[in-house]
Amino acid sequence: MLRLSVAIYLLAQTAQGQFTPPGTIKIDSVYVDASEITNLNYIEYLHYLKGSAGTKYLNALPDTTVWSDIYDEPLASAFTYEYLRGEEFRYFPVVGLSRQQAEDYCEWRSAVVNQKIDSATSFKVRYYLPSPDEWYSVAIASTSYKISSNSVDLSKMRFQRSYLKEIKDRSNAELTLKNLKKQLIRFYEHNPILLFENLSVSDEFKFKDYLGVGGGPKRSLPGNSINDIRGNVSELTRQPGTAMGGNWTLTFEETTPETRYIYENPSAMIGFRCFCALKTQ
């Protein structure tokens, strides 16, 4: 769990004479989570709160009914009951949270990490939600918005023709379906989760692995790449009502670094990642 993993990480970092806040990578001078906060991360937080006094645990619970805004029955109920705690979704981004709930998570995470680094380093950490401008600066400084030139085995990518045609029509793209498929595959090298494409009703609403979902922890990307900052889910900022970046309902053309997703309530299209600041003790 987080406490043990933090302790092991800090010992290794201190032995090497380095310190990077757990879970983050450095983009220019900014520390940012390599991946969005997952269901597994958030369940650990809920487990910690469950033993605390008062209403903290209840106040931290995500709104799992957000899936009713996306799907009709029976999918709405399947996601409502399984997405947060289902084993196949443990490494998917947590959704259905308010800005305040995300900020409370950042505060808790800071306290847990600082308990471990008091005697190991000369730093304290503060995890926080970024401003829209901070998020944008990190996004354009990373390599995650650049299309990879790596070759891809097209036979492993299963994009339904009807789905490709829908994206082509929505985006007004002057592309053949074959070329659009190649564009999507390059995009999903950094954004492997496409929820509605991978769903298989015959498999009891479980997701297939051929786009890299449901099969294990997030992989590490080379250099200053950040997992899924372009797509997956839009990400909460500390500015009320404003999330940044694309999400799984948007097309390739709609997921520019400037994309702002304006919201009023928690959504299945919105998650978050923490930024982190270091302070000398």
Side-chain angles (χ1 to χ4, degrees):
M1 301 300 279
L2 181 60
R3 291 175 182 272
L4 180 58
S5 61
V6 167
I8 295 172
Y9 176 88
L10 289 172
L11 285 173
Q13 290 280 297
T14 303
Q16 297 170 12
Q18 305 171 2
F19 180 75
T20 301
T24 71
I25 61 174
K26 193 174 185 180
I27 303 294
D28 288 343
S29 60
V30 181
Y31 294 101
V32 56
D33 275 344
S35 298
E36 291 148 343
I37 300 302
T38 65
N39 287 320
L40 182 62
N41 296 145
Y42 204 79
I43 287 172
E44 180 183 13
Y45 169 55
L46 292 176
H47 179 75
Y48 174 88
L49 292 182
K50 201 166 187 178
S52 62
T55 59
K56 288 185 177 181
Y57 172 78
L58 293 177
N59 290 339
L61 290 172
D63 181 2
T64 58
T65 66
V66 293
W67 294 104
S68 297
D69 298 330
I70 307 298
Y71 295 120
D72 295 326
E73 295 296 341
L75 289 185
S77 292
F79 277 89
T80 294
Y81 291 108
E82 295 295 330
Y83 182 80
L84 176 62
R85 299 182 187 276
E87 183 175 349
E88 66 270 34
F89 300 119
R90 62 175 53 181
Y91 296 107
F92 282 55
V94 64
V95 298
L97 295 173
S98 69
R99 176 179 59 88
Q100 185 60 57
Q101 287 174 312
E103 289 182 335
D104 290 343
Y105 174 89
C106 291
E107 183 178 349
W108 167 80
R109 181 178 174 187
S110 300
V112 170
V113 173
N114 282 326
Q115 285 178 5
K116 296 297 181 183
I117 66 178
D118 278 344
S119 59
T121 76
S122 59
F123 298 102
K124 277 189 174 293
V125 302
R126 181 178 67 86
Y127 292 94
Y128 64 95
L129 293 184
S131 68
D133 288 343
E134 285 178 295
W135 190 98
Y136 172 78
S137 295
V138 164
I140 62 174
S142 75
T143 59
S144 303
Y145 266 89
K146 299 175 183 177
I147 296 176
S148 170
S149 60
N150 294 336
S151 60
V152 178
D153 185 353
L154 300 183
S155 65
K156 293 183 179 179
M157 301 291 117
R158 298 180 177 86
F159 293 97
Q160 297 176 2
R161 186 178 179 86
S162 60
Y163 171 68
L164 289 172
K165 186 176 186 304
E166 178 185 351
I167 290 184
K168 179 180 178 182
D169 293 343
R170 284 182 58 193
S171 63
N172 297 316
E174 296 297 328
L175 295 171
T176 65
L177 294 181
K178 181 179 180 180
N179 286 337
L180 183 59
K181 179 178 180 179
K182 291 181 180 179
Q183 292 276 8
L184 284 170
I185 288 169
R186 290 170 182 165
F187 171 53
Y188 283 106
E189 285 180 329
H190 290 309
N191 299 271
I193 296 176
L194 182 59
L195 299 182
F196 45 79
E197 171 62 16
N198 284 306
L199 187 65
S200 174
V201 175
S202 62
D203 291 336
E204 299 179 353
F205 308 113
K206 292 186 178 181
F207 287 77
K208 299 177 181 178
D209 294 338
Y210 53 74
L211 288 180
V213 299
K218 285 284 188 182
R219 70 217 180 284
S220 296
L221 296 176
N224 61 342
S225 295
I226 306 173
N227 285 311
D228 307 315
I229 198 167
R230 181 161 190 161
N232 241 19
V233 288
S234 299
E235 298 179 8
L236 291 165
T237 69
R238 62 173 177 267
Q239 180 172 309
T242 301
M244 294 295 291
N247 60 59
W248 54 273
T249 69
L250 302 178
T251 64
F252 183 86
E253 291 80 5
E254 293 170 325
T255 57
T256 66
E258 298 86 358
T259 300
R260 296 194 178 207
Y261 189 89
I262 306 303
Y263 67 93
E264 295 183 358
N265 299 301
S267 167
M269 283 85 81
I270 300 176
F272 76 104
R273 78 177 71 225
C274 302
F275 281 44
C276 189
L278 292 181
K279 181 180 179 181
T280 303
Q281 298 193 63

